[in-house]
Amino acid sequence: MSDCSMPLLPCKTTHAQPYPTQPDAVEWIDLCLELNSQSVSARCTPDTRLLTLLREHWHLVGAKPGCEVGRCGACMVWFNDAPANACLLMAYQLQGQRVRTIESLREDPVAQPVMQALDACGGVQCGYCSAGMVVHLSWLHQQLPLPNRQEAESMMCGNLCRCTGYGGIRRAIAQLFPAETLPPPAV
C-alpha cells in the first residue's frame, strides 16, 4: 500500500509494442512521487512515460507531446530540480523523485522574468513550445554563475520552435543573459 495522499488509479497508456494478451503477464508498479510540491501516486506499467502520466493521469497538459524522443523540448519539466524531457522519463525512474511542471512554475517568481522577456521580445507565437522554453530558461536563469548569452543559447539547443524563426527567442535570451560571463559574487 502506498503512503501517498492520492489514491492509486490505473493509468491509460498507449504502447508502441503490444503487450501480451494475458493481463496477468503485465507488470504494474505503485508509483509515488512529488509533483508540483504535492505527493501523488499512480498504478501503471514501469515503462509508462512521465509525459503520459502528466497529461492522461494527472491532467497537467502544459508539457506537450512533440517528437517523443527527447529532441524538441516541448515536454520539458524539472526532474529533481534540473531540466529533463518528460517523454524520456519512465515510471520506474520516478519513484520518490521530484517533478515540477509549467503549471507550478508559471506562478513562481523565478519564471516571471523569463515569461516577461519572451512576451516583450516576440518569443511566443503559437505557444506549443512556450512551456518547454519557459521551464528550461527559468532553470538557466537561476544558475550561479549566470551563463552568458552564448552559453544560454547553446544550452537551449534542445528546445525547438517551428513558428518564431528564433529571433524573438534570441532577443529574450539577450535580455535575460549577459553578453559576457560575470564573475561570481564576492563572499
Side-chain angles (χ1 to χ4, degrees), residues 8-183:
L8 293 172
L9 301 170
C11 301
K12 292 185 249 173
T13 59
T14 55
H15 301 280
Q17 299 295 323
Y19 272 117
T21 56
Q22 297 179 4
D24 294 338
V26 177
E27 177 187 351
W28 294 88
I29 62 170
D30 293 332
L31 173 64
C32 185
L33 65 124
E34 183 182 308
L35 176 61
N36 296 336
S37 301
Q38 299 285 321
S39 204
V40 297
S41 62
R43 170 159 240 163
C44 57
T45 58
D47 64 343
T48 303
R49 294 174 189 227
L50 173 59
L51 183 59
T52 302
L53 289 167
L54 291 172
R55 296 180 64 80
E56 295 179 16
H57 185 73
W58 294 305
H59 307 289
L60 297 172
V61 296
K64 304 284 191 275
C67 66
E68 297 194 32
V69 292
R71 292 190 182 145
C72 74
C75 66
M76 192 71 64
V77 296
W78 285 1
F79 178 64
N80 293 331
D81 303 319
N85 292 303
C87 68
L88 297 180
L89 291 167
M90 303 299 158
Y92 74 89
Q93 298 170 299
L94 303 173
Q95 193 68 261
Q97 306 301 312
R98 287 183 322 279
V99 173
R100 250 184 117 186
T101 66
I102 189 65
E103 284 85 358
S104 102
L105 278 170
R106 72 175 168 221
E107 303 300 326
D108 191 319
V110 76
Q112 297 309 307
V114 170
M115 291 188 299
Q116 290 166 359
L118 285 168
D119 184 43
C121 297
V124 177
Q125 283 189 8
C126 83
Y128 202 82
C129 70
S130 300
M133 294 279 181
V134 169
V135 168
H136 200 174
L137 281 169
S138 296
W139 181 81
L140 283 173
H141 197 246
Q142 65 177 356
Q143 298 306 298
L144 293 175
L146 189 65
N148 67 37
R149 186 175 307 148
Q150 184 178 7
E151 292 167 335
E153 282 186 11
S154 183
M155 288 183 235
M156 290 298 293
C157 71
N159 290 81
L160 304 180
C161 176
R162 292 171 177 90
C163 299
T164 66
Y166 297 101
I169 295 166
R170 284 197 167 124
R171 286 189 297 276
I173 290 172
Q175 185 175 317
L176 292 164
F177 300 93
E180 300 297 322
T181 303
L182 299 174

